[in-house]
């Protein structure tokens, strides 16, 4: 019966579990989530009133007995949970703690966040507190989805009081104008103040500025009075110089209080004036004028060349759009002799150069010299990716080896230790695979960070990742003295005879005691130059100890009081390790032409000799074209002098020798000099052509920008079925794809997201064989600063939505703006509508219980198997019950002995009684004087003396001497056996 019952129950449980059985129960709990708009379109006083209303509603209206929950979500462009749903009274602080982007309003995102927060076992309601002016997302569509899901929506409008508000709505001008062609610049101003009898115009100034590169010119600075409504300020403009121009219009009110918002007082626009190709030549500011001859020859050939020193570089991508080619003329990544004057290309500027070529079609040329390519510290940068050659040498036969030791001492200025880790990691990345590197830091003793068993110096190639991971976990200590660490470094350098350049960099605050003269001499004799960097030293002019170390060994000495300067100093010093990449053959060699290319077209004469160039490695890419190479070294991949390729939309050229100052001094007298360099520059320039039949306009519409291209052919007829492509570079330097489709005859439209304020560069390729069209658009401010009225229509539409099996939401009275002292009075109308009203269907809480059914079924299955496999008897229950009763009644249980043993015991008792009676009858004291007859059978005893037993005689045998088969013997034997069974010693 048990087996059948258990097996049936197990099968039933498994069936219910496979059916995913659930437990359902109804709940009368209600969860209310408040959605508070914190965008900048709502004044600060209104945002404070939101918090007062929310706190009062939770405190006074939430039903604690029913377990109602309350939560708060704040939103701008993004939505964040300020308070998760809880079932107790909780109050918001006066200042919102969540981090938001308040320049946009995305109500739909906040509603989605609320849907994800609702618990499953309660009814759901949201209270939206906003002005309804959304500029991202679709709140009405999301509200319909919430209502269909059974969520009730109450709306509390936030009215916006109309005050004087002037904004610069737009700067309108042609995207492309011709040089010397007049055009009209129009600035649209808007005063959003309501027109009433007592309204006063807003007085101020309109200022218009034109920017081109680093040039800035004020075109207008005139007083204006803006009446309510829109006003157009026009300016006739004519540009005589080709360039890429930015126009900026700003309104400055005379009385700041007369203008509610200042964020919308600025607007910008772009235009491009076509002309001859412009070339930007960036040169090392420490060697200014080195390429004056090249600049002069290019200008004579009709090219407009602008020279830019490396310590005054461009700062934005639009600044590069005026140029069709950028030349890096023997310019290192970092230059300067001391911490105050050191300058370098930042990672952002390098990315701008590469993006300008890859995505905007600008040419990029790198001219060689001892400070260019890998010798200039450009290894492992984005610039190396854009060049047709790699800056590291792959051939072990010609590769020179460098060795670098970094000696780290904890600094005492902010972020000093952080920057030391950064430059150590950059050092590892910049070194070649065959270079050596070691790092010494103080951790109780001077220790190598890696390679202790190999002397502290390891090749970078196979150990680069290990070194980087060790640096990331490095802890820099306070080194007490320089001598032990410098001795370790000297011994490590001495063990590297194949190192062509040996360099050591010490970063410290100057506290350690100075090294011994013998240690300094050992470093100098080994050809090691030590550069010292005093980081936050205690001396006013730095550390004399560190300066003496650098002077004695021939290194550089830097004093740094700002840790941000450390990367620039590192980049400057890292060039010392790359010096062996310069190759100067003796005698000079004549470059060999390997292919017929546009750059060398028509140059039939032999090239003049070259006395030096920078070693590189040709990229393994079919697009790379090697045009010139040196006959030595014999490795063709390392002896490149001129190589070119197409990189993205642009072209890049690597010319590893210089332009006539040092290695090509004989080239200046060459009659083909002008033609060679002008053809190189013209080949790399951004594609140009007549784009007069294509007109491109960009219009910002909310969070998106629409690009419209009008295309006409030579006969001014619509040009259809063109395959147009486009790319947009945003303010954050990210590439945004631009999909362009034809929407009408001769009309092509593309659209991209432009939610981030800033400059957007737009490049459009009209079709095969057509020159690229460049334009730009500036998103000055969000629509958040344009809307000056509440969107009541949207809020009413949301509140009227019917919930699933419920009533529509409530439209509460508008939120007041009053001082906190009148809180109760001011919030009365809003609190009259209870968001915690229980008019929604009861929530059904569903919980899966099939896992528990599986667990119970598994346990019962074990019992089922036990019952079927194990024989169970209940006979043991009677004895157990009897024994338990004996224990309770404190009685002993009698044991029934076998019948044979009972007779034996009875007989034994009779014999013992017989013997005892005989002994008692014959007990006496023998008389010593009375003779005893041994043959007598009876002894007469006197009355005065006790009876004694006579001594044994031979005629009276003892009992124990009876025969073994006698009855007594058998009785004794049986008695002894009983004693033995009971464990009794019969000798006692």
């Amino acid at each position: 019966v048990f087996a059948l019952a258990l097996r049936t129950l197990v099968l039933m449980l498994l069936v219910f579990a496979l059916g995913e059985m659930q437990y359902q129960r109804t709940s009368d709990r209600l969860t209310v989530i408040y959605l508070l708009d914190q965008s900048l379109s709502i004044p600060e006083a209104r945002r404070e009133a939101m918090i007062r209303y929310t706190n009062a509603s939770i405190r006074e209206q939430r039903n604690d007995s029913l377990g109602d929950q309350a939560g708060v979500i704040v939103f701008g462009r993004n939505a964040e949970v300020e308070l998760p749903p809880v079932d107790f009274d909780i109050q918001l602080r006066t200042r919102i703690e969540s981090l938001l982007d308040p320049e946009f309003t995305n109500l739909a995102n906040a509603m989605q966040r609320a849907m994800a927060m609702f618990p499953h076992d309660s009814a759901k309601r949201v209270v939206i507190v906003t002005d309804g002016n959304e500029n991202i997302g679709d709140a009405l569509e999301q509200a319909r989805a919430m209502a269909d899901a059974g969520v009730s929506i109450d709306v509390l409008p936030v009215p916006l009081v109309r005050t004087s508000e002037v904004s610069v709505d737009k700067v309108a001008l042609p995207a492309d104008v011709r040089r010397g062609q007049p055009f009209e610049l129009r600035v649209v101003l808007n005063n959003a103040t309501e027109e009433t009898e007592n309204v006063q115009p807003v007085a101020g100034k309109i200022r218009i500025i034109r920017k081109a590169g680093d040039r800035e010119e004020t075109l207008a600075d005139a007083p204006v009075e803006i009446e309510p409504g829109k006003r157009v300020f026009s300016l006739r403009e004519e540009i005589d110089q080709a360039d890429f121009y930015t126009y900026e219009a700003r309104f400055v009110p005379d009385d700041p209080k007369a203008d509610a918002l200042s964020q919308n007082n600025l607007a910008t626009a772009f235009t491009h004036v076509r002309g001859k190709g412009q070339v930007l030549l960036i040169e090392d500011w420490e060697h200014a004028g080195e390429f004056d001859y090249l600049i002069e020859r290019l200008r004579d050939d009709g090219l407009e060349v602008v020279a830019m020193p490396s310590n005054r570089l461009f700062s934005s991508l639009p600044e590069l759009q005026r140029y069709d080619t950028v030349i890096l003329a023997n310019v290192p990544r970092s230059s300067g002799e001391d911490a105050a004057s050191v300058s370098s290309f930042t990672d952002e500027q390098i990315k701008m150069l590469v993006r300008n070529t890859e995505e905007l079609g600008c040419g990029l040329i790198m001219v060689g010299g001892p400070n260019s390519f890998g010798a200039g510290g450009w290894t492992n940068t984005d610039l190396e990716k854009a060049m047709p050659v790699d800056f590291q040498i792959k051939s072990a036969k010609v590769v020179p080896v460098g060795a670098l030791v970094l000696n780290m001492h904890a600094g005492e200025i902010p972020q000093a230790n952080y920057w030391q880790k950064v430059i150590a990691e950059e050092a590892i990345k910049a070194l070649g695979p065959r270079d050596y590197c070691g790092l010494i830091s103080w951790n109780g003793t001077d220790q190598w960070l890696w390679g202790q068993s190999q002397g502290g110096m390891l090749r970078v190639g196979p150990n680069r990742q290990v070194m980087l991971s060790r640096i990331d976990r490095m802890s820099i200590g306070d080194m007490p003295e320089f001598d032990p660490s410098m001795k370790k470094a000297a011994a490590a350098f001495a063990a590297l005879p194949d190192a062509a350049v040996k360099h050591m960099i010490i970063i410290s605050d100057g506290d350690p005691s100075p090294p011994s003269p013998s240690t300094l001499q050992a470093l100098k004799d080994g050809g090691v130059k030590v550069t010292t960097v005093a980081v936050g030293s205690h001396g006013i002019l730095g550390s004399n100890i560190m300066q003496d170390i650098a002077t004695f060994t021939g290194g550089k000495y830097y004093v740094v009081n700002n840790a941000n300067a450390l990367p620039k100093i590192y980049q400057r010093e890292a060039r010392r390790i790359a010096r062996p990449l310069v190759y100067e053959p003796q005698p000079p060699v004549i470059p060999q032409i390997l292919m017929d290319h546009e750059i060398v077209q028509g140059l039939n004469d032999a090239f003049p000799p070259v006395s030096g160039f920078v070693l590189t490695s040709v990229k393994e890419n079919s697009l790379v074209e090697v045009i010139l190479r040196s006959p030595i070294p014999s490795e063709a991949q390392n002896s490149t002098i001129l190589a070119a390729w197409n990189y993205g939309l642009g072209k890049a050229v690597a010319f590893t020798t210089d332009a006539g100052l040092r290695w090509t001094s004989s080239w200046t007298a060459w009659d083909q000099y002008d033609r060679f360099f002008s053809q190189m520059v013209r080949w790399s320039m951004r594609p140009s052509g007549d784009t007069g039949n294509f007109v491109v306009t960009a219009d910002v519409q909310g969070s998106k920008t629409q690009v419209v291209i009008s295309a006409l052919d030579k006969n001014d007829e619509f040009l259809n079925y063109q395959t147009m492509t486009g790319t947009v570079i945003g303010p954050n330097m990210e590439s945004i794809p631009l999909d362009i489709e034809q929407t009408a005859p001769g009309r092509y439209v593309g659209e991209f997201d432009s939610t981030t304020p800033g400059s957007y560069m737009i490049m459009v390729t009209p079709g095969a064989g057509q020159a690229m069209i460049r334009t730009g658009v500036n998103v000055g401010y969000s629509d958040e600063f344009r809307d000056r009225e509440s969107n009541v229509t949207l809020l009413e539409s949301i509140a009227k939505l019917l919930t699933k099996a419920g009533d529509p939401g409530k439209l509460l009275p508008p939120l007041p703006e009053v001082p906190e002292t009148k809180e109760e009075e001011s919030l009365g109308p809003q609190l009259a509508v209870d968001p915690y009203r229980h008019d929604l269907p009861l929530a059904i809480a569903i919980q899966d219980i099939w896992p528990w059914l599986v667990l119970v079924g598994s346990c019962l299955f074990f019992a089922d198997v036990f019952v079927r496999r194990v024989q169970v008897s209940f006979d043991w229950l009677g004895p157990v019950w009897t024994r338990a009763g004996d224990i309770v009644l404190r009685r002993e249980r009698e044991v029934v002995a076998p019948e044979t043993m009972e007779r034996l015991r009875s007989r034994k008792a009779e014999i013992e009684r017989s013997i005892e009676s005989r002994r008692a009858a014959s007990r006496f004291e023998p008389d010593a004087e009375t003779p005893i007859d041994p043959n007598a059978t009876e002894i007469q005893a006197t009355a005065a003396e006790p009876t004694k037993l006579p001594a044994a005689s031979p005629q009276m045998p003892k009992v124990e001497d009876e025969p073994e088969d006698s009855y007594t013997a058998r009785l004794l034997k049986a008695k002894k056996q009983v004693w033995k069974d009971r464990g009794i010693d019969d000798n006692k």
Side-chain angles (χ1 to χ4, degrees):
V1 173
F2 267 136
L4 182 61
L6 289 173
R7 179 63 57 89
T8 303
L9 185 57
V10 168
L11 290 176
M12 291 178 60
L13 291 173
L14 291 179
V15 169
F16 292 150
L18 290 174
E20 297 184 358
M21 194 172 185
Q22 296 175 329
Y23 170 70
Q24 295 185 356
R25 61 181 178 86
T26 59
S27 172
D28 56 357
R29 286 203 309 167
L30 174 66
T31 299
V32 177
I33 297 181
Y34 299 84
L35 309 183
L36 307 184
D37 188 350
Q38 298 295 302
S39 60
L40 292 179
S41 64
I42 300 178
E44 180 67 25
R46 298 285 184 179
R47 295 200 292 270
E48 293 177 358
M50 288 183 192
I51 297 176
R52 293 199 305 271
Y53 163 75
T54 304
N55 288 338
S57 177
I58 295 174
R59 183 177 60 249
E60 299 178 14
Q61 297 177 311
R62 191 185 68 84
N63 194 328
D64 188 62
S65 61
L66 296 178
D68 290 344
Q69 295 181 327
V72 179
I73 292 178
V74 293
F75 65 94
R77 180 177 184 175
N78 57 312
E80 298 293 340
V81 179
E82 185 72 9
L83 292 175
V86 293
D87 57 358
F88 54 87
D89 289 342
I90 189 168
Q91 299 291 288
L92 288 174
R93 297 185 179 183
T94 55
R95 182 178 296 275
I96 297 298
E97 297 180 353
S98 300
L99 297 178
L100 300 173
D101 181 359
E103 295 190 356
F104 294 87
T105 299
N106 191 349
L107 176 57
N109 188 21
M111 299 168 78
Q112 292 174 353
R113 196 70 181 267
M115 286 290 292
M117 281 181 56
F118 277 118
H120 67 281
D121 58 347
S122 70
K124 307 170 181 63
R125 175 173 287 123
V126 295
V127 178
I128 301 175
V129 187
T130 179
D131 59 3
N133 291 321
E134 62 171 350
N135 39 59
I136 299 179
D138 191 339
L140 185 57
E141 180 180 357
Q142 183 62 37
R144 290 194 182 101
M146 294 183 71
D148 292 340
V151 180
S152 176
I153 305 175
D154 288 354
V155 178
L156 176 58
V158 178
L160 300 180
V161 179
R162 295 184 62 89
T163 59
S164 297
E165 171 56 30
V166 178
S167 62
V168 182
D169 280 357
K170 188 177 183 180
V171 177
L173 74 164
D176 277 312
V177 299
R178 297 183 181 275
R179 183 168 53 179
Q181 175 185 358
F183 63 93
E184 185 178 22
L185 170 70
R186 294 184 300 169
V187 180
V188 181
L189 302 174
N190 182 25
N191 185 353
T193 307
E194 291 184 351
E195 295 189 27
T196 61
E197 295 181 358
N198 298 324
V199 70
Q200 297 294 328
V202 179
K205 288 185 177 181
I206 179 68
R207 184 174 299 156
I208 302 176
I209 299 174
R210 182 176 65 191
K211 298 180 180 179
D214 56 354
R215 305 192 311 270
E216 184 174 305
E217 181 181 359
T218 301
L219 302 180
D221 191 2
V224 292
E225 286 189 352
I226 311 299
E227 300 286 345
K230 292 188 177 182
R231 175 180 175 181
V232 178
F233 186 88
S234 300
L235 180 67
R236 190 169 182 81
E237 179 73 351
E238 182 177 337
I239 301 176
D240 295 328
Q241 185 177 357
D243 211 332
F244 199 86
Y245 292 89
T246 301
Y247 285 84
E248 178 181 288
R250 182 186 298 273
F251 174 75
V252 182
D254 294 339
D255 183 9
K257 296 181 179 180
D259 190 17
L261 295 173
S262 61
Q263 292 92 339
N264 55 7
N265 290 359
L266 174 67
T268 60
F270 294 95
T271 190
H272 178 224
V273 180
R274 296 187 302 274
K276 295 181 180 180
Q278 287 194 334
V279 179
L280 173 64
L281 187 143
I282 303 176
E283 61 180 352
D284 186 6
W285 69 271
E286 290 185 297
H287 303 89
E290 182 178 355
F291 288 87
D292 285 350
Y293 183 77
L294 175 62
I295 294 173
E296 180 184 352
R297 305 315 302 161
L298 292 177
R299 287 174 177 171
D300 290 344
D301 201 58
L303 295 171
E304 298 182 7
V305 183
V306 177
M308 177 182 291
S310 59
N311 61 343
R312 293 200 303 271
L313 293 171
F314 53 90
S315 59
S316 64
L317 192 59
E319 294 182 39
L320 294 175
Q321 300 316 300
R322 57 188 298 201
Y323 307 108
D324 297 314
T325 286
V326 177
I327 302 176
L328 298 176
N330 190 31
V331 58
R333 183 181 180 186
S334 180
S335 57
E337 295 297 328
D338 54 54
S341 63
V342 68
S343 61
S344 66
F345 284 77
T346 64
D347 292 339
E348 289 74 18
Q349 289 171 329
I350 296 175
K351 290 180 180 179
M352 290 179 195
L353 283 174
V354 175
R355 285 286 183 87
N356 192 36
T357 298
E358 182 180 13
E359 299 178 3
L360 304 182
C362 182
L364 181 61
I365 300 175
M366 197 167 193
V367 178
N371 297 324
S372 64
F373 296 97
W378 295 100
T379 304
N380 289 329
T381 63
D382 287 348
L383 184 67
E384 183 179 15
K385 300 177 183 178
M387 286 288 108
V389 294
D390 290 327
F391 300 162
Q392 291 183 352
I393 309 303
K394 300 178 182 179
S395 175
K397 296 181 180 179
V398 299
V399 63
V401 177
L404 175 66
V405 170
L406 299 171
N407 195 338
M408 300 294 192
H409 177 204
E412 298 181 7
I413 62 177
Q415 291 190 313
N417 297 341
Y418 163 76
W419 282 114
Q420 290 191 54
K421 289 187 176 184
V422 171
I423 64 175
E425 292 174 353
E426 292 298 324
I428 302 302
K429 296 177 183 178
L431 294 176
R434 290 180 55 81
D435 292 335
Y436 292 92
C437 185
L439 190 149
I440 303 175
S441 63
W442 172 264
N443 190 8
T445 60
D446 294 284
Q447 299 176 0
W448 291 102
L449 194 59
W450 55 72
Q452 292 87 346
S453 59
Q454 292 88 357
M457 300 283 280
L458 297 178
R459 285 195 185 273
V460 175
N463 302 291
R464 196 187 303 268
Q465 294 303 321
V466 175
M467 294 176 178
L468 293 175
S469 62
R470 294 280 183 88
I471 290 173
D472 186 57
R473 300 192 301 266
M474 175 179 61
S475 177
I476 305 174
D478 192 4
M479 186 184 301
E481 52 183 337
F482 285 123
D483 196 63
S485 60
M486 296 181 69
K487 280 185 177 180
K488 286 180 177 289
F493 281 123
L496 301 175
D498 59 333
V501 175
K502 301 176 181 180
H503 194 54
M504 182 177 183
I505 301 177
I506 299 177
I507 303 178
S508 173
D509 59 8
D511 282 347
S513 57
S516 63
S518 60
T519 302
L520 290 175
Q521 190 63 43
L523 289 169
K524 186 175 182 180
D525 293 343
V528 180
K529 293 185 178 181
V530 182
T531 291
T532 57
V533 184
V535 181
S537 59
H538 300 286
I540 298 177
L541 300 177
S543 169
N544 293 331
I545 296 175
M546 300 180 70
Q547 185 174 12
D548 293 341
I549 294 174
T551 303
F552 186 84
T553 59
K556 287 287 183 181
Y557 171 64
Y558 299 92
V559 179
V560 175
N561 293 319
N562 185 351
N564 294 332
L566 288 175
K568 297 180 181 180
I569 294 174
Y570 147 72
Q571 293 166 2
R572 174 73 173 82
E573 290 302 311
R575 291 165 48 194
R576 298 177 182 270
I577 305 300
R579 289 294 185 186
L581 294 173
V582 173
Y583 185 73
E584 296 178 328
Q586 292 297 332
V589 296
I590 297 177
Q592 300 173 348
I593 300 179
L594 300 183
M595 63 179 301
D596 186 14
H597 195 273
E598 294 180 35
I599 296 178
V600 295
Q601 189 174 9
L603 302 177
N604 299 323
D605 298 339
F607 279 78
V610 173
S611 60
F613 57 92
V614 182
L615 292 172
T616 57
S617 296
V618 179
K619 277 188 169 68
E620 296 179 359
N621 193 304
S622 59
L623 296 177
V624 176
E625 299 173 320
V626 180
I627 304 169
L628 296 178
R629 69 173 294 269
S630 169
I632 56 173
S634 58
E635 289 80 3
Q637 65 173 352
N638 303 126
S639 57
T640 302
I641 291 182
L642 177 63
W645 72 337
N646 289 342
Y647 184 68
L649 298 178
K651 299 175 181 178
V653 178
F655 187 58
T656 60
T657 189
D658 60 15
L661 183 65
R662 179 182 292 105
W663 295 333
T664 57
S665 56
S666 59
W667 285 39
T668 56
W670 183 33
D671 58 353
Q672 301 292 332
Y673 181 94
D674 297 2
R675 183 172 185 175
F676 171 71
F677 281 101
S678 63
Q679 288 183 173
M680 179 192 300
V681 173
R682 292 183 187 278
W683 178 84
S684 67
M685 291 177 68
R686 198 190 315 259
S688 61
D690 185 9
T691 59
N693 291 335
F694 295 95
V695 178
V696 182
T697 59
D699 184 25
V700 179
Q701 300 177 351
S703 62
K704 296 183 179 296
T705 297
Q706 189 179 70
V707 180
V708 180
I709 304 105
S710 299
L712 300 174
D713 59 14
K714 296 181 180 179
N715 299 322
D716 291 336
E717 295 182 356
F718 293 126
L719 189 61
N720 300 317
Y721 310 114
Q722 295 294 300
T723 303
M724 294 190 180
T725 59
T727 304
V728 180
I729 304 297
N732 53 3
M733 298 300 296
E734 294 294 331
S735 178
I736 304 172
L738 179 62
D739 296 328
I740 302 175
E741 297 180 355
Q742 186 173 2
T743 59
R747 182 183 177 87
Y748 300 83
V749 178
E751 192 176 67
F752 63 92
D753 291 330
S754 56
T755 55
T756 303
S759 301
Y760 291 82
M761 305 304 305
I762 304 172
M763 286 68 59
V764 176
T765 303
Q770 300 287 344
M772 180 184 295
I773 304 172
R774 292 178 296 154
T775 186
V777 65
N778 186 279
V779 180
Y781 56 88
S782 167
D783 285 344
E784 193 71 24
F785 308 111
R786 302 179 189 270
D787 300 317
R788 303 307 306 154
E789 294 181 0
S790 299
N791 191 348
V792 179
T793 302
L794 173 65
L795 300 180
E796 290 177 348
S797 300
I798 293 176
K800 291 178 180 178
L801 292 174
L802 289 173
T803 60
K804 183 178 180 181
D807 298 330
K810 300 291 185 180
L811 183 66
L812 281 67
L815 184 71
E817 180 183 359
V818 296
E820 293 186 6
T821 55
K822 298 181 180 180
E823 179 178 347
E824 298 299 331
E825 178 184 353
S826 63
L827 295 178
Q830 290 75 35
L831 296 179
V833 178
D834 184 8
Y836 294 90
R837 61 190 182 278
H838 287 260
D839 56 354
L840 295 174
L842 295 179
I844 299 178
I846 300 176
Q847 182 179 2
D848 290 331
I849 63 172
W850 63 264
W852 294 102
L853 298 180
V854 172
L855 178 61
V856 174
S858 301
C859 297
L860 292 179
F861 180 72
F862 175 78
D864 173 60
V865 174
F866 179 83
V867 170
R868 291 176 178 273
R869 297 299 182 184
V870 179
Q871 182 66 36
V872 180
S873 174
F874 298 98
D875 294 341
W876 49 272
L877 288 176
V880 169
W881 179 261
T882 302
R883 182 61 178 170
D886 291 345
I887 294 175
V888 174
L889 299 177
R890 297 178 180 272
R891 64 184 182 180
E892 298 180 357
R893 189 169 65 91
E894 295 181 358
V895 180
V896 179
E899 184 180 359
T900 304
M901 183 62 66
E902 183 63 25
R903 290 199 308 270
L904 183 60
R905 290 179 178 176
S906 176
R907 182 61 179 166
K908 178 184 176 182
E910 292 176 0
I911 295 172
E912 288 179 348
R913 285 196 297 271
S914 175
I915 294 174
E916 186 66 25
S917 63
R918 290 174 58 190
R919 288 179 178 175
S922 61
R923 190 178 302 274
F924 65 95
E925 293 292 336
D927 187 1
E929 297 179 355
T930 303
I932 299 175
D933 185 2
N935 296 322
T937 57
E938 292 182 357
I939 301 175
Q940 298 295 327
T942 63
E945 295 178 346
T947 303
K948 295 183 181 179
L949 290 174
S953 64
Q955 291 81 12
M956 296 178 63
K958 299 180 180 179
V959 176
E960 52 268 22
D961 292 335
E962 293 180 0
E964 295 184 356
D965 57 347
S966 66
Y967 176 79
T968 304
R970 291 196 307 271
L971 181 62
L972 181 61
K973 184 177 180 180
K975 183 178 181 180
K976 289 183 177 180
Q977 183 63 37
V978 173
W979 291 345
K980 183 178 180 180
D981 293 339
R982 294 185 178 181
I984 301 175
D985 189 358
D986 57 351
N987 295 322
K988 295 183 180 181

